Amino acid sequence: MRTADRYSAIFSYFRDNVPVADSELHFNSDYELLVAVILSAQCTDRRVNQVTPALFAAYPDVKALSEASPEEVYGYIKSVSYPNNKAKNLVGMARKVIGDFDGRIPSDVDSLMSLPGAGRKTANVVASILYSEPVIAVDTHVFRVSRRLGLSRGATPRAVELDLEKHIPEDLRPIAHHWLLLHGRYICTSQKPKCSSCPLTEWCRDFSSRTAL
């Protein structure tokens, strides 16, 4: 199957059958989204959603967080992965937003990546959700699903990102990230993918290669 045909079939399915796909992180502002995405690195959205209500009650905006100490923030996020580093990064992020961006969460990917704790994936998520930038964040789910389906042979998240952006129209990129992520989270799981209930096996390169043996 040609790569273009594979993309067309897979994303036509998503467009027709999954018209709504959003982040499962809970947030009510650009500040809350950025904090939640930083916390979600190597951690489940469910766990993040458990800790952020108290965190946001204590630090309702970026100015309040910038005035906290990492030790204080740690007390609210100690149940997430790598809480010490994330506490330092959250406070550092808030102070840089106040000092360098007049208290506003920046909109472009490069500026977002300059913030402590915000790598390319985090920057792309925030830019896509908040500002509808035509970028695709490649986390572990998107990376795995894209390679299994045959959308990319890229060996790194950046390589997969470039392949996806080459073939997916700009207007579809924000929701395409969520389509692939949620498919990986609930169907094309890491250890035991649910191929028997997957609607994409007809176009899946990994499934075809295994069933052909």
Side-chain angles (χ1 to χ4, degrees):
M1 177 181 291
R2 295 190 312 141
T3 298
D5 295 334
R6 194 184 305 275
Y7 269 87
S8 177
I10 289 171
F11 287 99
S12 290
Y13 170 84
F14 281 132
R15 186 172 52 245
D16 294 341
N17 294 278
V18 192
V20 178
D22 296 310
S23 173
E24 294 185 320
L25 292 170
H26 298 166
F27 65 95
N28 294 300
S29 67
D30 52 359
Y31 155 73
E32 290 188 0
L33 174 64
L34 177 55
V35 170
V37 177
I38 290 174
L39 289 174
S40 71
Q42 297 180 284
C43 186
T44 65
D45 288 1
R46 180 180 180 183
R47 173 62 63 184
V48 173
N49 290 335
Q50 289 173 343
V51 305
T52 49
L55 179 67
F56 295 148
Y59 310 108
D61 53 39
V62 71
K63 184 175 186 300
L65 184 60
S66 73
E67 296 170 348
S69 69
E71 293 75 20
E72 291 170 330
V73 172
Y74 173 87
Y76 292 94
I77 67 168
K78 59 186 177 182
S79 65
V80 305
S81 59
Y82 308 106
N84 284 299
N85 284 338
K86 289 179 180 178
K88 294 175 185 177
N89 285 336
L90 288 177
V91 173
M93 173 275 292
R95 291 175 180 172
K96 190 171 180 64
V97 168
I98 293 294
D100 294 358
F101 299 102
D102 298 321
R104 300 185 181 89
I105 306 302
S107 60
D108 66 283
V109 170
D110 288 339
S111 294
L112 285 163
M113 287 178 63
S114 75
L115 301 175
R120 187 168 194 88
K121 186 268 291 186
T122 293
N124 280 357
V125 169
V126 173
S128 174
I129 293 176
L130 292 183
Y131 305 110
S132 298
E133 289 293 316
V135 294
I136 295 183
V138 178
D139 63 2
T140 56
H141 296 300
V142 175
F143 182 77
R144 178 179 68 255
V145 169
S146 297
R147 285 167 52 85
R148 283 181 177 172
L149 288 176
L151 301 175
S152 174
R153 295 182 183 271
T156 66
R158 180 61 172 155
V160 171
E161 177 187 339
L162 292 173
D163 282 341
L164 294 175
E165 291 184 354
K166 177 182 178 181
H167 292 94
I168 299 174
E170 289 191 0
D171 63 313
L172 276 186
R173 290 176 192 171
I175 194 171
H177 161 74
H178 297 299
W179 281 333
L180 294 171
L181 184 155
L182 295 173
H183 189 71
R185 182 172 291 167
Y186 296 110
I187 297 178
C188 193
T189 53
S190 177
Q191 298 302 317
K192 295 181 179 180
K194 302 177 178 65
C195 296
S196 61
S197 59
C198 178
L200 305 179
T201 52
E202 179 181 353
W203 310 293
C204 177
R205 184 176 62 198
D206 186 67
F207 182 81
S208 297
S209 64
R210 285 187 285 109
T211 54
L213 297 177

